[in-house]
Every structure is written in structure tokens, then in C-alpha cells.
Amino acid sequence: MRTFNYIAPLAFALALSACGEATETETGASSSGAVEAVEAPAGQKWSETVAKSEAGGIVMGNPDAPIKLVEYMSITCSHCKDFGEQAFAPLRDTYVESGRVSFEIRNFVRDPLDLTAALLSRCGGEAPFFPLTEQALGYQATMFEKAQGMGEATYSGILQSEPKVRFVRLAEQLGLVAFFQQRGISEDQAKACLADTAAAEKLMADTQKGAEEFNIEGTPTFLINGQKIEGTNWAMVETKLKEAGAR
């Protein structure tokens, strides 16, 4: 399992094909009867019920949902981007809103670019996390282009700078400070989040813990009720959700 390296070379940071195509041996959720819908409390929507999990992820939906879907994802993973484009809307509007399913994202940081974007996606707290993550995934191509344009010397110099300025400088080079500023995260707020070395260390520790606990070898990787399932695309995941009773 590749561990995070602050001083990773640019070639590593741009090795984007490494994500996805994880192999799994467990089949996860088995077929069962349909699960009853659970109505949200008066005046609330399950899709707007968002909280941090004990595992360090962010969960959307009924906290007591009988079907709990977890995605280990990386913002620099093209397969995660594809899954987000296919799945986020139906997951939110059909499955989470019914109260049957909760959806948790756990950041699985692969490289310094990914960690920088993950810190910013969490910068506004739990409520805007899902839309910010979805939009950050959509910014992938631009982020890679800007990273490639940096050159090895600039990139290495940034990663060798002081921890409290390292990710601020990287985010500025990638256009991420301006990107998130346009989405409600002020420049000062973004820089404070990027300078939070404890938050960065926590994301890396959570990544390592997830890798060890669930033998994660690629992103996206999915769990249903704590079991790793086969599948890296929405069609396969939706099938498993239906088998678990989300229908």
C-alpha cells in the first residue's frame, strides 16, 4: 500500500491512472427484503442532515439508516470523478432522501494535490462538504493542467517549504484558493485550513487506518454496512444497494 509522502515528486503526484480498479474478494451485502422508507423529522430533509463520523468521514442522511454506504475516495482519482457524476444526484435524491440509506465519504488521500483539495473541501464544515467535493472533482482536469505547468523544481520547492505554508502555496499554484473562494470559502478561511497541520495529519492517519482495516488498494472503494463490496461504478454499487433492500 502506497503511503503519503510530503516530498513526493511531481511524476508521482500526476500518476493519475493509479486510482480505481481496486480488486475485492468480498461480495458485501446479500439479497434481502425491501427496507421500509423512513420519514425525516418535520421540516427536515435527510439529504440536508450531515455530520462527521467516528471514522473521520462526512455522512449525509438518516443517522440510523439501516443501509450505510461508505465511499473511500480521492479528489485526484478520475474514477471517483466518474462515480460522482453518475451517482451523487440519484444517491441523494432517491436513496438518501428515503431514509433507507446514509452515504459517507471518507477521504483517502493519495498525493499532495489530493490532500490540498481535501483540506479545502472540509473547510466550510460538514454542511457544504458534499457539494464542494462534487465541484472539486469537476475541477480535476484544470488542477492537473496547472500542476503539470508548475514544473518539477517549483513543485519540489513547495513541498520542502514550512508545513504551515506548504499547502497554501500549492493551493495558490493550482488555482484552488480562488476556486473555493468562488464557492463561499474566503481566502483567509482557506489559508487557515491549509495551514492546519493537525487536520492534514489526521487525514493521512485516517487514510492509513482505512487501508489497513479494509485492505484498500485503490479508489473508489465502497462498503455497505461495514463490508467491502465489488464494484467501482454507480451501476454496480446501485445493484448492491438494491440487494441490501434499498428498493
Side-chain angles (χ1 to χ4, degrees):
M1 185 68 202
R2 180 186 294 137
T3 56
F4 182 88
N5 181 0
Y6 271 133
I7 316 299
L10 184 59
F12 165 67
L14 298 179
L16 307 176
S17 62
C19 75
E21 305 309 323
T23 57
E24 293 123 11
T25 57
E26 299 176 50
T27 58
S30 60
S31 298
S32 62
V35 172
E36 293 292 330
V38 181
E39 189 173 346
Q44 297 183 32
K45 298 175 66 176
W46 286 131
S47 62
E48 296 173 356
T49 303
V50 184
K52 186 174 290 186
S53 75
E54 292 182 2
I58 310 294
V59 186
M60 176 200 303
N62 176 7
D64 298 317
I67 302 169
K68 301 182 187 298
L69 174 67
V70 173
E71 177 188 6
Y72 279 92
M73 61 85 68
S74 304
I75 294 176
T76 56
C77 171
S78 60
H79 298 286
C80 297
K81 175 180 179 291
D82 292 343
F83 180 80
E85 290 174 348
Q86 298 163 6
F88 282 2
L91 256 176
R92 179 190 64 236
D93 299 337
T94 300
Y95 293 95
V96 171
E97 210 66 271
S98 74
R100 296 180 174 96
V101 177
S102 64
F103 175 44
E104 177 180 354
I105 287 180
R106 297 178 186 172
N107 291 97
F108 192 87
V109 293
R110 302 168 53 240
D111 52 61
L113 276 66
D114 187 21
L115 178 55
T116 302
L119 287 169
L120 288 170
S121 72
R122 291 166 168 259
C123 197
E126 291 84 7
F129 170 78
F130 283 91
L132 286 177
T133 296
E134 185 174 4
Q135 291 170 59
L137 286 166
Y139 186 71
Q140 230 182 57
T142 301
M143 181 165 53
F144 297 155
E145 183 179 350
K146 288 181 179 293
Q148 190 68 59
M150 260 191 275
E152 186 70 40
T154 298
Y155 181 78
S156 296
I158 288 173
L159 294 188
Q160 291 171 19
S161 59
E162 292 295 320
K164 286 190 176 295
V165 301
R166 180 179 295 148
F167 297 110
V168 174
R169 292 180 60 195
L170 186 56
E172 288 175 334
Q173 289 283 334
L174 296 172
L176 284 170
V177 172
F179 179 83
F180 279 88
Q181 190 175 3
Q182 293 167 0
R183 289 155 179 81
I185 305 297
S186 72
E187 182 177 356
D188 288 344
Q189 185 181 6
K191 289 182 176 179
C193 290
L194 292 163
D196 188 345
T197 55
E201 294 289 349
K202 179 68 163 58
L203 278 171
M204 291 187 288
D206 288 343
T207 294
Q208 191 64 35
K209 182 179 179 181
E212 293 170 354
E213 184 173 359
F214 297 107
N215 190 31
I216 296 172
E217 299 174 346
T219 53
T221 292
F222 298 94
L223 314 176
I224 292 181
N225 292 344
Q227 287 190 304
K228 191 164 66 172
I229 66 168
E230 295 177 352
T232 58
N233 62 55
W234 172 232
M236 298 173 77
V237 172
E238 185 175 31
T239 296
K240 292 298 182 182
L241 288 173
K242 290 180 177 179
E243 288 177 359
R247 58 183 189 274

